[in-house]
Amino acid sequence: MSTSTALSRSASLPLAQQLALRFSERIQQRLILPGARLPSVRECARHHGVSPYTVVAAYDQLLAAGLLEARKQRGFFVREVHAPRAKSAPAQTATATPAPIDASALIRGMFQADARHAPGLGTLPGDWLDLPMLQSAMRRVVSQSEEPDQLALQYGEPGGDPRLRSALSRRLEDLGVHAAPEQIISTVGATHALDLITRCLLTPGDAVLVDDPGWAIEYARLSQAGMRLLPVPRGPQGPDLEVMARLIAEHRPRMYVTVSVLHNPTGNSLSLASAHQILKLVEAADMLVVEDDTYAFLAPNHVPRLSALDGLKRTIYVSGFSKILTPAWRVGFVAASAKIVHQLTELKLLSTLTTSPMMDRAVAICLEQGQLRRHAERVISRLDAARQRAVRLAEEASCQFVTPPQGLFGWLEVGVDTERLAQRMLDAGWLIAPGLLFSPTRRAGTLMRINFATSQDARFWRLLAELRKA
């Protein structure tokens, strides 16, 4: 791929938009033919001297303009541009209004992310994780299992590895959630768990209460499944109960999906009083509550959980291990009533057959031996120190936290449009998470989420302060 002129960092257009326009023009001129594969994200970034995040944003704009198609595990390919389409239209789209940063763009950027330059990252940095613990667990799976051949060479049980479910049952007792092993099913991460729940217990057209702000992936999943999203403002103590009561009365929602503990993106946790009021509302309305406790290992055990108070009558508890062990181990689980677990198991059989018995067993070993608990304690201690430093750097950059800083994420008032800021930060090689990603209505604003563990570089905060002034 040749380059006629270098991308300009001083131009009015963001680098991602310049790169998208350049590819668009070449595609329109048939200099890149339909079916041609574009360079990989990393290759393109090296060639143009930009960050991988900038390339991801550029390719997203071309996807939105209909010029590219993404093929799973193969890359990006040029689509056929049919004659009725004006040649200038896609180029104008790329020039005038770049495709907004969305959840897919953020996730693809995270796959390329260097944690040192990704304040918007959703996971812990790799050097915070305990690789020797993971290696030891995998060795034990192979060497100490009674039937290693069965684990390595056959399908696992539909509900998940029995040792994992027993270990999870004991772990949940520490949180006050009483669930027998038969009330637990393992999944391919918490995301898979939430997807199974959506497809099993909801039908298109159902209304679903969601936190506002909340996580864009869940918004996208529910919307694509045909659900009607009912945003409930989320405050430091939990959801706005008056708004929730009004929405329940007007729309009769089927479900409420929430993060009770160390909420993403605000970092706050549900108060005991709010938890009791929520359960009263959902019982009166004959609703279900899906409680996503993804950050459970970063929080104290005594923090109120809806599932503990309700006894899994109307609550469905979801969690996973990617945030505390490693994103590479896609192990999650659901705890619910026996009836719901049976329904989810039947759907799991149709969608993924089973989860990996080896991964399930490795997590069970980490839980049984107490290694995971000790690792979590070390992470929490390190995160506390990182949070203190990030708060100081943010305040020095004249930013303010909307809610008290807790857990992994901070919800930050920046004072400028963070969607536009995200484009400028991409140009400079920094991946941030603008507030519109966490709005169910895609409302732009001046808020953004930071990851305390990956927001330690003072250069990022100096650049942020400079761009705010500009």
Side-chain angles (χ1 to χ4, degrees), residues 91-413:
Q92 290 173 352
T93 300
T95 303
T97 53
I101 292 178
D102 60 12
S104 298
L106 179 67
I107 291 171
R108 281 194 289 270
M110 286 179 179
F111 288 153
Q112 309 292 333
D114 177 349
R116 295 169 297 180
H117 294 87
L121 198 66
T123 58
L124 291 169
D127 60 2
W128 284 44
L129 304 177
D130 192 338
L131 182 58
M133 176 183 66
L134 304 178
Q135 293 170 331
S136 173
M138 289 304 295
R139 285 195 297 269
R140 291 183 181 184
V141 168
V142 176
S143 64
Q144 297 183 7
S145 297
E146 299 82 359
E147 299 176 336
D149 291 349
Q150 184 173 350
L151 283 176
L153 302 178
Q154 299 183 26
Y155 287 119
E157 292 193 19
D161 179 60
R163 273 180 64 178
L164 174 61
R165 286 186 283 163
S166 294
L168 289 172
S169 179
R170 293 190 293 271
R171 159 65 184 167
L172 290 176
E173 287 289 338
D174 294 339
L175 307 181
V177 180
H178 305 297
E182 297 76 27
Q183 290 179 262
I184 298 172
I185 175 177
S186 70
T187 59
V188 187
T191 301
H192 178 223
L194 293 165
D195 185 59
L196 285 177
I197 291 167
T198 299
R199 293 193 290 125
C200 184
L201 302 177
L202 297 172
T203 56
D206 282 347
V208 179
L209 296 170
V210 294
D211 291 331
D212 183 9
W215 182 216
I217 294 297
E218 187 60 18
Y219 298 154
R221 177 186 299 107
L222 291 167
S223 296
Q224 289 179 0
M227 311 307 160
R228 294 182 292 120
L229 302 188
L230 304 177
V232 182
R234 177 75 180 230
Q237 304 299 314
D240 186 319
L241 296 171
E242 290 186 5
V243 173
M244 176 178 279
R246 176 172 53 79
L247 291 173
I248 289 174
E250 293 176 358
H251 299 277
R252 300 184 61 82
R254 172 69 179 136
M255 183 179 288
Y256 173 40
V257 181
T258 186
V259 177
S260 298
V261 176
L262 298 183
H263 174 256
N264 179 14
T266 66
N268 58 43
S269 297
L270 199 63
S271 71
L272 185 59
S274 292
H276 280 297
Q277 291 301 315
I278 290 169
L279 291 175
K280 285 183 179 179
L281 288 172
V282 300
E283 182 177 8
D286 192 22
M287 289 171 52
L288 294 173
V289 177
V290 176
E291 184 173 40
D292 181 356
D293 203 8
T294 297
Y295 308 98
F297 281 96
L298 300 178
N301 289 348
H302 66 266
V303 177
R305 266 89 174 175
L306 292 166
S307 299
L309 297 171
D310 170 69
L312 297 178
K313 296 184 183 70
R314 295 189 175 276
T315 49
I316 303 170
Y317 182 92
V318 173
S319 191
F321 298 89
S322 63
K323 294 296 187 291
I324 191 64
L325 278 177
T326 167
W329 286 18
R330 304 300 301 153
V331 179
F333 68 96
V334 178
S337 68
K339 177 182 177 182
I340 288 177
V341 165
H342 174 73
Q343 293 175 278
L344 294 175
T345 304
E346 292 296 306
L347 182 58
K348 176 185 172 182
L349 277 168
L350 295 176
S351 60
T352 60
L353 294 181
T354 68
T355 43
S356 166
M358 295 190 69
M359 288 289 98
D360 280 6
R361 181 64 58 86
V363 172
I365 289 171
C366 291
L367 286 166
E368 291 169 349
Q369 303 296 322
Q371 296 169 306
L372 181 50
R373 175 182 53 79
R374 292 189 291 272
H375 166 62
E377 290 171 353
R378 292 191 294 269
V379 169
I380 290 172
S381 178
R382 190 171 181 180
L383 186 57
D384 288 343
R387 190 184 309 111
Q388 291 179 17
R389 173 175 167 79
V391 168
R392 177 174 58 79
L393 289 169
E395 291 174 346
E396 289 174 356
S398 300
C399 299
Q400 297 179 333
F401 287 91
V402 177
T403 56
Q406 301 175 68
L408 182 60
F409 300 126
W411 192 226
L412 203 60
E413 172 60 62

Side-chain angles (χ1 to χ4, degrees), residues 16-17 20 52-62 99 101 105 423 426:
Q17 201 169 340
Y53 322 134
T54 296
V55 178
V56 169
Y59 283 3
D60 275 340
Q61 292 180 34
L62 294 167
I101 292 178
Q423 295 288 347
L426 282 174

Side-chain angles (χ1 to χ4, degrees), residues 58-96:
Y59 283 3
D60 275 340
Q61 292 180 34
L62 294 167
L63 285 166
L67 296 177
L68 295 185
E69 62 176 336
R71 299 179 187 174
K72 189 175 182 180
Q73 297 182 340
R74 293 188 61 194
F76 296 89
F77 292 80
V78 177
R79 295 181 61 184
E80 178 68 63
V81 180
H82 298 289
R85 181 180 295 178
K87 288 188 177 183
S88 60
Q92 290 173 352
T93 300
T95 303

